[in-house]
């Protein structure tokens, strides 16, 4: 699931916000939480609410977001300097995911700089970019301090340079065999992985094309350069005002397999449930234009990218809750199915045991005289105080003489007051257990 803006998303949203918001005045500033802020704008008869989430997103919203009971220090600072001022510019700093929102003009201007990468930040500055307030003081890798009183280094924003064919050949030459094309090109292009994948598909490369597997540096370099040029054109043109989409992903709903419950016969409830209601469509991505990799997936169309992003994030929590409930249902159904399978196994085992006992009972009834004689012989031996080993030897000797009773004695378990007889119930042989008189066993001891 997508969690933050890409560079292509940022350029598209800026292209849509400029004509709508420029010239509006700030009515108030509210904080939703420690990193999300709402700027209420108006220009009679128009009104708009600009939502800014540090490190994540920037768009207008039509939803009623909960506001903090008391404004934070940063919100109070913004109210002090920005209220009643006109929004005069929305620009991207270089190719970085940094937006400069200007309020007022000349020496009375203020800037709200929104960083939409890494942990993010929102910085309020004066007309000279001197920092008045910010969410997250820090020091970056170049030892530039971001703190109140310091100057925000807008000139350090990275400028984008087109990837020439010669540079592209160098990048490909440095790649290892088996590296995915997206992994090789993504750090060198600012368009983001989604736009890059769209352009690679347009050039005839597969979704999983790799260096040496689906891509030949000698034969396919022209096609690859064409894909790079298309990606750069997409980035330069933006997609403001065009139809945008939310990409959906289907999640299977868990349900019991009623065939197991009904011995292979499906119930009416199962037949009725085997339709589209077995899937839950959840939001997975938002895109400023239709991309080739999403053409076969379910999507929701919107008249603008700004609206698509607003709906995506506004319904994200309810989507997460629905997905959580679905996962809990699937886990419960899986557990119930496991219990039912265990129950079926137990029933099968009990039926097999019942059948065996019935066969043993029939065998004992059929050969009642042999059973009685065998018990009588063992009891007599115990009554004569013969040792257990001597009784076993006696039985073995009788078997060698083909004694009709001894030949049915398979095993002696005198310590448990049992003997095992091998009898026939008319179908095949069964092992039948019978126990000796316990009082005589105790006398032997």
């Amino acid at each position: 699931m997508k969690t933050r803006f890409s560079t292509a998303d940022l350029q598209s949203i800026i292209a849509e916000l400029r004509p709508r918001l420029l010239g509006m005045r700030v009515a108030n500033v509210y904080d939703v939480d420690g990193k999300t802020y709402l700027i209420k704008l108006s220009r009679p008869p128009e009104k708009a609410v600009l939502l800014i989430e540090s490190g994540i997103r920037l768009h207008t919203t039509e939803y009623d977001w909960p506001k903090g009971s008391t404004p934070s220090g940063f919100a109070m600072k913004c109210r002090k300097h920005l209220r009643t001022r006109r929004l005069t510019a929305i620009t991207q700093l270089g190719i970085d995911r940094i937006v400069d929102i200007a309020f007022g003009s000349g020496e009375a201007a203020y800037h709200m700089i929104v960083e939409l990468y890494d942990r993010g930040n929102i910085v309020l500055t004066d007309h000279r970019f001197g920092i008045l307030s910010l969410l997250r003081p820090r020091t970056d890798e170049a030892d530039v301090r971001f703190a109140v009183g310091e100057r925000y280094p807008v000139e350090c924003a990275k400028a984008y340079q087109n990837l020439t064919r010669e540079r592209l050949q160098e990048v490909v030459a440095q790649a290892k065999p088996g590296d995915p094309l997206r992994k090789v090109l993504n750090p060198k292009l600012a368009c983001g992985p989604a736009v890059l994948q769209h352009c690679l598909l347009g050039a005839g490369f597969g979704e999983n094309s790799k260096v040496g597997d689906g891509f030949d540096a000698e034969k396919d370099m022209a096609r690859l350069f064409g894909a790079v040029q298309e990606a750069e054109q997409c980035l330069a043109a933006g997609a403001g005002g065009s139809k945008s989409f939310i990409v959906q992903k289907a999640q299977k709903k868990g349900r019991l397999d009623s065939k197991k419950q009904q011995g292979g016969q499906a119930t009416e409830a199962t037949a009725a449930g085997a339709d589209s209601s077995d899937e839950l469509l959840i939001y997975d991505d938002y895109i400023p234009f239709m991309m080739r990799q999403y053409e076969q997936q379910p999507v929701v169309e919107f008249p603008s990218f700004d609206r698509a992003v607003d709906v995506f994030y506004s319904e994200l929590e309810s989507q997460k809750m629905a997905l959580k409930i679905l996962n809990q249902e699937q886990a419960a159904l899986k557990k119930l199915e496991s219990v039912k399978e265990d129950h079926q196994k137990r029933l099968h085992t009990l039926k097999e045991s019942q059948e065996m006992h019935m066969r043993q009972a029939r065998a004992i009834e059929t050969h009642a005289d042999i059973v009685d004689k065998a018990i009588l012989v063992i009891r007599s031996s115990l009554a004569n105080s013969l040792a257990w080993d001597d009784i076993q030897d006696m039985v073995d000797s009788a078997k060698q003489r083909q004694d009709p009773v001894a030949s049915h004695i398979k095993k002696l378990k005198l310590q448990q007051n049992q003997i095992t007889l091998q009898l026939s119930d008319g179908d095949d042989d069964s092992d039948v257990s019978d126990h000796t008189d316990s009082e005589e066993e105790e006398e032997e001891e």
Side-chain angles (χ1 to χ4, degrees), residues 213-264:
D213 181 11
F215 171 77
D216 189 308
E218 295 182 359
K219 299 179 181 179
D220 301 327
M221 187 58 69
R223 284 196 297 141
L224 184 62
F225 185 62
V228 170
Q229 288 182 314
E230 184 185 1
E232 292 177 339
Q233 290 170 1
C234 288
L235 194 63
S242 64
K243 290 182 179 180
S244 300
F245 304 87
I246 290 179
V247 182
Q248 296 179 309
K249 182 172 64 174
Q251 289 283 343
K252 291 286 186 181
K253 292 183 179 180
R255 60 188 180 89
L256 288 175
D257 187 355
S258 61
K259 289 184 178 181
K260 294 182 180 179
Q261 304 175 41
Q262 304 295 332

Side-chain angles (χ1 to χ4, degrees), residues 187-374:
K188 308 301 179 182
L189 297 171
C191 59
V195 174
L196 177 58
Q197 180 67 21
H198 164 75
C199 298
L200 288 173
L201 289 174
F205 295 104
E207 291 189 3
N208 299 314
S209 293
K210 301 177 182 179
V211 177
D213 181 11
F215 171 77
D216 189 308
E218 295 182 359
K219 299 179 181 179
D220 301 327
M221 187 58 69
R223 284 196 297 141
L224 184 62
F225 185 62
V228 170
Q229 288 182 314
E230 184 185 1
E232 292 177 339
Q233 290 170 1
C234 288
L235 194 63
S242 64
K243 290 182 179 180
S244 300
F245 304 87
I246 290 179
V247 182
Q248 296 179 309
K249 182 172 64 174
Q251 289 283 343
K252 291 286 186 181
K253 292 183 179 180
R255 60 188 180 89
L256 288 175
D257 187 355
S258 61
K259 289 184 178 181
K260 294 182 180 179
Q261 304 175 41
Q262 304 295 332
Q265 298 295 323
T267 63
E268 294 181 2
T270 303
D275 53 19
S276 59
S277 63
D278 289 339
E279 291 184 344
L280 173 67
L281 292 176
I282 62 172
Y283 292 164
D284 187 55
D285 198 353
Y286 47 85
I287 50 178
F289 59 93
M290 177 49 68
M291 300 182 184
R292 296 180 180 98
Q293 63 267 37
Y294 298 128
E295 289 177 349
Q296 304 302 320
Q297 292 187 227
V299 296
V300 182
E301 183 179 312
F302 293 89
S304 67
F305 185 59
D306 183 52
R307 178 59 180 160
V309 175
D310 186 31
V311 172
F312 182 92
Y313 283 105
S314 299
E315 298 184 8
L316 187 61
E317 290 303 319
S318 61
Q319 294 265 327
K320 288 182 177 179
M321 183 60 65
L323 186 58
K324 181 179 179 181
I325 293 173
L326 175 61
N327 291 334
Q328 290 175 342
E329 289 178 351
Q330 290 176 337
L333 288 172
K334 184 178 179 181
K335 184 176 181 180
L336 179 58
E337 187 66 33
S338 177
V339 171
K340 291 179 70 65
E341 288 180 359
D342 182 65
H343 182 65
Q344 294 292 339
K345 289 179 181 178
R346 290 173 179 266
L347 285 177
H348 182 67
T349 302
L350 288 173
K351 287 181 179 179
E352 288 184 341
S353 177
Q354 182 184 34
E355 291 176 359
M356 177 60 70
H357 289 150
M358 292 179 66
R359 291 175 60 195
Q360 290 175 343
R362 288 196 300 269
I364 292 174
E365 290 177 349
T366 303
H367 305 281
D369 55 335
I370 295 177
V371 174
D372 292 338
K373 289 178 181 179

